[in-house]
Amino acid sequence: MTIEKILQANQELLELLEIIRSFQLPDCWLCAGCIRNYIWDYLSDNK
């Protein structure tokens, strides 16, 4: 499974990204640790 597919399976993360996008800020970031931890947990079977 690709990283993109793994992230698309997380509805809460997708909702958070949509909220961030809706702010239409010139510069806004989601902490990379959020994504890294989710991928790590997924691959480690700690979902």
Side-chain angles (χ1 to χ4, degrees):
M1 183 175 275
T2 66
I3 290 175
E4 183 178 356
K5 296 268 187 214
I6 293 170
L7 294 175
Q8 288 174 346
N10 184 328
Q11 190 60 38
E12 289 178 344
L13 182 56
L14 291 178
E15 289 176 14
L16 179 58
L17 290 170
E18 283 299 321
I19 290 168
I20 290 170
R21 183 189 307 186
S22 74
F23 294 151
Q24 298 181 345
L25 298 173
D27 192 22
C28 183
W29 299 83
L30 174 65
C31 178
C34 175
I35 294 172
R36 186 207 63 86
N37 288 348
Y38 178 70
I39 298 294
W40 180 266
D41 287 346
Y42 182 90
L43 296 175
S44 300
D45 214 17
N46 292 329
K47 301 172 212 162

